[in-house]
Amino acid sequence: MSGQMEILHLRGPLTIKTITNARDIIQVYLQESASLSRSLIIDIDGNADIDLTLPQLLLSARHTAERAGVTIALNKPADGNFLAVLQRAGLLCGDRQQDSFWLEGKAA
């Protein structure tokens, strides 16, 4: 992968009511990133209305990205409502390596 990247900004509510739209946008960005040999950086507003469907979508996107040879990362560590959802869902296990996708962002 080259040093170039695609940046996707996900804004607004990211809940079960809107997740289909977010999924479609992520799919387009993943395809573009793969065709251009770029990493995909996802920027999430941690204070938006977020529910468990967002982390589920991101886990699926990571698997899809791996199969396509695309590196995917968050722009910054999860914070605000996003971090609270991850904690409530038990997606943070206290292991730095396993939690790094959520807690370290692209600078990791």
Side-chain angles (χ1 to χ4, degrees):
M1 222 25 78
S2 71
Q4 296 181 337
M5 62 187 83
E6 296 289 323
I7 299 176
L8 169 58
H9 301 278
L10 292 178
R11 299 286 182 255
L14 297 164
T15 65
I16 196 164
K17 292 179 182 179
T18 62
I19 208 67
T20 302
N21 186 47
R23 180 205 62 208
D24 294 345
I25 293 168
I26 288 173
Q27 285 177 336
V28 168
Y29 270 77
L30 279 174
Q31 290 170 352
E32 185 174 322
S33 296
S35 70
L36 297 173
S37 297
R38 293 182 175 174
S39 299
L40 176 59
I41 305 300
I42 300 177
D43 180 36
I44 296 168
D45 177 4
N47 293 315
D49 187 15
I50 294 172
D51 68 17
L52 185 57
T53 58
L54 178 64
Q56 290 172 327
L57 175 62
L58 293 174
L59 288 171
S60 177
R62 286 180 69 196
H63 291 290
T64 300
E66 284 178 23
R67 289 193 307 268
V70 173
T71 301
I72 189 171
L74 299 179
N75 189 47
K76 65 181 190 244
D79 62 356
N81 295 335
F82 186 29
L83 180 59
V85 167
L86 293 171
Q87 291 168 332
R88 282 192 311 266
L91 291 171
L92 300 176
C93 65
D95 178 280
R96 182 181 169 107
Q97 184 175 1
Q98 289 183 5
D99 293 345
S100 66
F101 176 76
W102 306 114
L103 300 178
E104 293 184 15
K106 70 175 175 139

